[in-house]
Amino acid sequence: IQFIFNNHTTAQNLLLIFYIMSGSFLMILSFILSILPSTREVHDDVLIYIFYLFPCFSLVKGMTNLVLLKQPLLWQGDYPDVWEMRVIGYALTYMAAEAVLFFLVTLGIEYFIATPALYGFVENGTCSGNKKALMQVDPELGDDRDSDVLAEEKRLKASAGDGSDLVQ
């Protein structure tokens, strides 16, 4: 999501606030829904798996289950193993799958931005794939290069035919 922002600090702060708030909010909501008899079934069958899609909730839920592992009322007298799915298994499974998924999405976005043909298709509506065409300066906006850069370019172009070692 930081690709949306121009400033990386703003993106980091916004994501930090979102993760802290959503993890805490979803855990409290999950706890309340699991206690109420009218919502317990829909929570246990549907909502908990939707909540697990948020990595912050998975982390908080797994840590909470570890802390409350030896509480008999929570597990109805049954003391489960730490690695059972209902203790930290779902949380770890979801977080591992999300880590791979988010990594692949990030690579896809980076590939899209780094590929001129794909990026040019979105920017210009054409899929020419011509990197030089995408990097040309718009004549209406003018040339924003420094005067020393323009002078060096002019000097190199003038010396192109004199047998020097100019690489083009």
Side-chain angles (χ1 to χ4, degrees):
I1 197 166
Q2 70 186 15
F3 298 108
I4 297 171
F5 297 96
N6 293 330
N7 188 350
H8 68 282
T9 307
T10 305
Q12 181 181 6
N13 290 337
L14 183 70
L15 288 175
L16 183 64
I17 290 170
F18 173 74
Y19 285 139
I20 290 172
M21 296 300 290
S22 63
S24 303
F25 176 74
L26 288 176
M27 186 60 201
I28 293 168
L29 182 65
S30 174
F31 181 73
I32 292 171
L33 291 176
S34 66
I35 290 175
L36 298 174
S38 62
T39 59
R40 184 177 300 140
E41 186 176 335
V42 72
H43 171 266
D44 293 344
D45 295 340
V46 178
L47 291 178
I48 192 74
Y49 301 108
I50 294 171
F51 292 167
Y52 273 126
L53 294 175
F54 293 90
C56 48
F57 173 78
S58 297
L59 179 67
V60 172
K61 182 72 172 172
M63 290 172 59
T64 303
N65 285 347
L66 281 176
V67 169
L68 301 174
L69 187 62
K70 297 297 180 184
Q71 298 299 320
L73 293 177
L74 181 67
W75 306 105
Q76 289 87 27
D78 178 30
Y79 293 108
D81 184 46
V82 173
W83 300 106
E84 282 188 31
M85 291 301 282
R86 63 185 175 150
V87 180
I88 63 168
Y90 284 120
L92 290 177
T93 303
Y94 273 80
M95 284 192 291
E98 289 167 350
V100 172
L101 177 72
F102 292 153
F103 178 71
L104 292 175
V105 167
T106 303
L107 283 180
I109 291 171
E110 288 288 337
Y111 177 75
F112 175 77
I113 290 173
T115 306
L118 293 175
Y119 194 69
F121 182 73
V122 172
E123 289 290 317
N124 304 329
T126 62
C127 190
S128 64
N130 187 353
K131 190 173 186 176
K132 288 185 179 180
L134 293 173
M135 298 176 74
Q136 286 179 349
V137 177
D138 188 359
E140 293 177 9
L141 298 175
D143 199 349
D144 62 348
R145 293 180 289 176
D146 292 335
S147 60
D148 58 336
V149 173
L150 293 171
E152 182 68 12
E153 182 180 350
K154 193 179 293 184
R155 185 188 69 79
L156 288 173
K157 285 183 179 179
S159 67
D162 65 1
S164 63
D165 292 337
L166 177 66
V167 178
Q168 293 191 18

